[in-house]
Amino acid sequence: MTFASNNPYHHGDLRKILINEAARLLSQNGENGLSMRKLAGEIGVSRTAPYHHFKDKHELLCAIAEEGFHRFDKIFVLDYPTISEKDLQDFARAYLSFAIDSSEYYDLMFGGKLWKSKVLTKTLKEAAYACFRQYVEQVHRWQASRPPNPNLDALRYAQVTWSALHGMSRLLIDGIYLDKAAMNPICDQAGTMFWHSLFEDPRLPRQN
């Protein structure tokens, strides 16, 4: 998506256009292929225009990661009156699909380079922490929908299940699991495991 210099846009839209175009460049060329100058040229604005919205490339990368978390939020909206085993399988599938199909966002959202920099933007930290809090609250609602596993801690459950999905995502993104056809059965198994952890006491015999 390239914007010619004579292509009109509202001033308030430029920040979003910069983020979207930067994400596209990341997906095509990686971080080394993204610069503020190249971004300006792709959109058709002056070289200084991006600096009116981001002080440098690092702040731009933080904004892309933040946008990723806003998109990622939608995956955790499973607030059904009741939750089923299939719902959790679909949840696992949606998580991995986002990570793979939007890896230009996902790599920044959970990449060590940004988080170890110690200069994250306030809005990125807020978006990231809010996303996880939403998941923990979602787990509490799941527990309230039917008799839960009495030994389950919602926070620890959220941490473990998120970590499992993240690990599977990285194996696929990094090419360690090259056969993506295995993703569906992996997600089905993960969802089943999540389900039994959520609602069954593992010390008791399973009811048929």
Side-chain angles (χ1 to χ4, degrees), residues 25 30-41 50-51 57 60:
L25 291 173
E31 190 175 329
N32 290 335
L34 173 64
S35 69
M36 301 290 269
R37 175 178 292 187
K38 181 175 179 60
L39 178 60
Y51 292 98
K57 179 179 174 180
L60 171 63

Side-chain angles (χ1 to χ4, degrees), residues 83-156:
I83 191 78
S84 70
E85 183 175 333
K86 182 180 183 303
D87 292 332
L88 291 180
Q89 292 172 339
D90 290 343
F91 162 63
R93 194 170 291 108
Y95 186 113
L96 265 66
S97 294
F98 177 89
I100 295 166
D101 297 339
S102 303
S103 59
E104 65 273 22
Y105 292 98
Y106 194 84
D107 285 343
L108 290 175
M109 291 160 61
F110 298 106
K113 183 175 181 179
L114 281 185
W115 287 95
K116 291 178 180 178
S117 69
K118 305 299 183 183
V119 287
L120 292 177
T121 60
K122 179 182 177 182
T123 52
L124 170 55
K125 289 188 287 187
E126 289 173 346
Y129 298 150
C131 190
F132 182 71
R133 284 196 304 270
Q134 176 175 292
Y135 183 37
V136 176
E137 291 167 1
Q138 182 70 82
V139 174
H140 281 297
R141 289 193 291 272
W142 290 344
Q143 288 181 303
S145 70
R146 56 187 294 154
N149 178 347
N151 301 306
L152 186 75
D153 180 279
L155 173 60
R156 300 307 176 207

Side-chain angles (χ1 to χ4, degrees), residues 53-67:
H53 299 273
F54 311 102
K55 68 179 181 180
D56 53 25
K57 179 179 174 180
H58 178 82
E59 190 170 287
L60 171 63
L61 294 175
C62 285
I64 298 170
E66 180 184 342
E67 171 64 19

